[in-house]
Amino acid sequence: MAAILTASCEKSAFNQSEYGNGKTSQVDILTRSAVGSSFDYPLTVYAFNSDGTLKASQTISSQEEQMSLTLNSGQSYRIVAITAPESDYTIEDAPDITSVICIKSADKIADKPMGWGLAEIIPSSEKSTVAIHMGQRMASVSIALAGLPSECSEVSVSVQSVAQSMTLEGENRESGTAHIKCGKNGDKWQSVAAYLLPSDTEQTIFTISYKDNGGDHFCSVTYNGQLDAGTPYNISGTFADGGINLTGNISMTGWNESINLNFSFGPGTNTVIDSGSNEDDGQVYKVSQIPSPATIWEGHVVVITDSTSRNSATLTLLSLSDWGDMTASTHAATPDMARSTASAYQEFDLKNWRIPTEDEARALFNAYNNLPLAQVMTDAGGDEIVLTEKSNNVRYLCHDASRTYSYKVNSILDAGASAKNYHLRLVRKVKVILATAIQSAQCPPLSEDVQSAPL
């Protein structure tokens, strides 16, 4: 097969040479970048057969170049397209589908981002089409600090709990720390945009360190959120009052609506920042008792209860609605079907539902198979959780609709680019606090952000 692959939406012909069966196929390939992102050449395409073995690959340095891959007709392949400049990343010469892409820098940051896309194909007919939907796989972090002491000689920021490598099939591996160095620019210490693999935990810890005549100083901030691929994070702040008193914001832009988070911290303190997600709207609901998993709260089904203290918890709710015939974010024609469904969904008084993360998908599987979740969903009047259709295991979308999970088999898989039969179930988190704890506290009245739900 031969193709011209471009970062914008363009078609190009694959002129497939004769195979052992004597047939010739022409396959059209559509590659495009996700909305709000772009990537640079060179671009490499790998073709892996069903057992993950590399069968063909080629690299092109511009969209004017033609790419040609010769594959056997009638066989199943996973086609991986990737832009990972050799200046920043390493990939072995003859990889398989599980081989890792490593960041060269010991600081685990790159100067250029990495684009990635995958499609599953079975070339058989004389003419067919395959879509490779490419998107950014790195998060971008930029630092700007003002007002540091004039004798300051070094400033850097470490970011904990970020992935250290990624497989060619798109799975992030390991968890560690990335280090971002800042340079002086006028009266500010700034970094260029540093690209790092996303975090795989629900918390990201930033540690700002600076050196002056008094020695080394460290300030830590715990950010209750993941660093997401394709999102730039801009961190700014000011040094004041003889110590770090950093006030500023982390603004998220890119594919999602911008979210601003205000925070402050100082030496010897650990400051916690809310994720700023629309889902976490700051509301806290009074309850007579903390709901347990596989119970009904205010008509919603609770699947996970994370205790944040003896008297408070964060609940993960599972939507009463179940959607079938859904497509993944890698689908060429309808990549936003699941995201649009999530953004429009409202269950009673709760909006801002979303697609589960991979960790939440695993928790949903465990809850279904170890708790009476199916019966609770029925009692709440919700749609049935589907295990099989036409003797096949049903796959539900997770991880921004790019991966799938099942309530019958404990596995997370990449979503197929051409499949149209996935299911979708949404999740929503809420914070609750015991009413008795509020009444017994000798404190001023709760702010308006603490709202009461009917008991």
Side-chain angles (χ1 to χ4, degrees):
M1 296 190 290
I4 300 173
L5 298 162
T6 67
S8 58
C9 295
E10 294 186 17
K11 275 190 176 181
S12 53
F14 258 39
N15 293 315
Q16 197 166 323
S17 59
E18 287 195 359
Y19 305 130
N21 57 15
K23 294 183 179 179
T24 299
S25 294
Q26 179 177 328
V27 182
D28 288 339
I29 285 203
L30 175 69
T31 62
R32 65 179 186 179
S33 62
V35 175
S37 71
S38 61
F39 51 81
D40 299 320
Y41 288 89
L43 183 149
T44 300
V45 169
Y46 299 93
F48 300 97
N49 65 12
S50 56
D51 66 4
T53 303
L54 179 67
K55 304 307 294 183
S57 68
Q58 190 172 346
T59 300
I60 58 175
S61 58
S62 71
Q63 67 181 53
E64 285 75 28
E65 294 185 52
Q66 182 169 315
M67 179 169 287
S68 176
L69 300 176
T70 301
L71 302 174
N72 293 327
S73 179
Q75 293 189 11
S76 175
Y77 294 94
R78 277 181 286 179
I79 309 298
V80 175
I82 189 164
T83 57
E86 292 183 359
S87 58
D88 292 290
Y89 308 91
T90 59
I91 307 173
E92 58 186 275
D93 292 337
D96 60 37
I97 193 70
T98 63
S99 295
V100 296
I101 305 162
C102 296
I103 302 174
K104 284 185 175 181
S105 167
D107 291 330
K108 296 303 177 183
I109 61 174
D111 294 329
K112 295 182 179 180
M114 173 171 59
W116 177 90
L118 180 145
E120 298 180 6
I121 68 169
I122 303 177
S124 58
S125 60
E126 291 185 4
K127 291 185 178 182
S128 57
T129 301
V130 58
I132 301 179
H133 186 162
M134 296 191 70
Q136 297 288 1
R137 289 307 302 256
M138 312 293 284
S140 170
V141 174
S142 300
I143 312 293
L145 303 175
L148 285 162
S150 58
E151 67 272 18
C152 206
S153 58
E154 293 180 17
V155 178
S156 63
V157 176
S158 65
V159 188
Q160 294 184 29
S161 305
V162 296
Q164 304 290 282
S165 60
M166 187 189 88
T167 66
L168 282 168
E169 61 182 339
E171 180 183 354
N172 290 333
R173 293 283 180 88
E174 308 172 73
S175 181
T177 302
H179 300 278
I180 303 172
K181 297 177 182 178
C182 298
K184 194 165 187 180
N185 182 12
D187 61 351
K188 291 185 179 181
W189 287 83
Q190 295 178 315
S191 76
V192 296
Y195 297 96
L196 56 159
L197 286 164
S199 56
D200 56 1
T201 63
E202 292 187 358
Q203 288 187 333
T204 305
I205 298 175
F206 296 91
T207 301
I208 298 175
S209 63
Y210 68 95
K211 180 178 290 187
D212 60 15
N213 294 339
D216 295 321
H217 307 272
F218 303 92
C219 300
S220 176
V221 171
T222 300
Y223 168 52
N224 280 333
Q226 298 176 334
L227 297 186
D228 295 324
T231 303
Y233 295 79
N234 304 309
I235 303 175
S236 60
T238 302
F239 179 91
D241 299 328
I244 287 281
N245 180 15
L246 191 64
T247 59
N249 63 77
I250 300 174
S251 73
M252 301 183 192
T253 58
W255 301 341
N256 302 314
E257 184 179 352
S258 179
I259 300 172
N260 296 317
L261 307 177
N262 296 318
F263 63 93
S264 62
F265 62 93
T269 65
N270 291 326
T271 301
V272 178
I273 313 171
D274 285 336
S275 67
S277 166
N278 288 332
E279 172 190 60
D280 183 9
D281 50 18
Q283 296 182 4
V284 182
Y285 296 87
K286 291 191 296 184
V287 293
S288 58
Q289 64 180 23
I290 301 296
S292 300
T295 60
I296 299 173
W297 170 79
E298 297 301 314
H300 309 288
V301 174
V302 179
V303 280
I304 305 168
T305 300
D306 291 323
S307 297
T308 53
S309 73
R310 186 178 63 179
N311 299 317
S312 61
T314 298
L315 310 179
T316 301
L317 312 177
L318 185 63
S319 68
L320 299 177
S321 296
D322 189 299
W323 296 267
D325 299 325
M326 302 294 293
T327 58
S329 60
T330 53
H331 193 273
T334 54
D336 296 319
M337 179 184 287
R339 287 190 287 261
S340 297
T341 301
S343 65
Y345 185 65
Q346 178 173 340
E347 189 171 294
F348 304 123
D349 59 335
L350 289 183
K351 300 179 181 180
N352 301 320
W353 293 72
R354 59 176 173 77
I355 301 166
T357 65
E358 288 188 34
D359 286 342
E360 288 168 337
R362 294 185 180 94
L364 293 176
F365 170 85
N366 291 331
Y368 183 87
N369 288 277
N370 294 285
L371 298 170
L373 183 59
Q375 184 59 51
V376 171
M377 186 62 69
T378 299
D379 294 344
D383 296 334
E384 178 186 2
I385 295 174
V386 186
L387 300 182
T388 60
E389 285 180 342
K390 299 178 181 179
S391 301
N392 294 320
N393 294 337
V394 167
R395 306 293 301 181
Y396 280 78
L397 293 168
C398 66
H399 193 67
D400 198 30
S402 65
R403 308 204 79 189
T404 67
Y405 69 101
S406 167
Y407 286 93
K408 185 176 178 62
V409 180
N410 189 12
S411 64
I412 305 288
L413 303 174
D414 289 326
S418 58
K420 299 180 181 179
N421 61 345
Y422 291 124
H423 275 245
L424 177 66
R425 207 106 195 189
L426 302 174
V427 295
R428 171 69 153 83
K429 289 188 177 182
V430 297
K431 296 177 180 179
V432 296
I433 187 169
L434 285 176
T436 54
I438 298 173
Q439 295 167 0
S440 63
Q442 300 300 314
C443 298
L446 289 172
S447 70
E448 294 180 358
D449 284 338
V450 179
Q451 298 191 5
S452 174
L455 302 179

